[in-house]
């Protein structure tokens, strides 16, 4: 909880939005029939909710829509840094 994430919304894939994890499901959403190998474990997905900073939301309030689907990328090793494709890109 509280870990930094980068959001890429299905409706606006040109933007990368910073946020923080606010919820993680305890049940996998897309589970293979059996999980026997590390490769199969990579297919597991868990629902994550991410919260955008209220100041950032206010700045873009006319563009904000709740409940949009997308992908939340979590940086599991903070010392690694974000890859270039996940550098923050926001609308002007």
């Amino acid at each position: 909880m509280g870990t930094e994430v980068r959001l890429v919304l299905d409706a606006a894939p040109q933007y990368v939005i910073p946020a923080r994890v606010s919820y993680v499901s305890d049940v996998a959403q897309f589970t293979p029939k059996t999980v026997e190998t590390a490769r199969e474990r990579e297919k597991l997905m868990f629902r994550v909710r991410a919260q955008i900073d209220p100041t950032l939301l206010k700045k873009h309030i006319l563009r904000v829509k709740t409940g949009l689907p997308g992908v939340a990328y979590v940086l599991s090793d903070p010392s690694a840094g974000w890859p270039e494709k996940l550098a923050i890109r926001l609308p002007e």
Side-chain angles (χ1 to χ4, degrees), residues 70-90:
V71 179
Y73 294 90
V74 180
L75 190 63
S76 59
D77 179 3
S79 65
W82 290 100
E84 183 58 34
K85 74 175 191 170
L86 293 174
I88 296 172
R89 290 189 305 278
L90 299 170

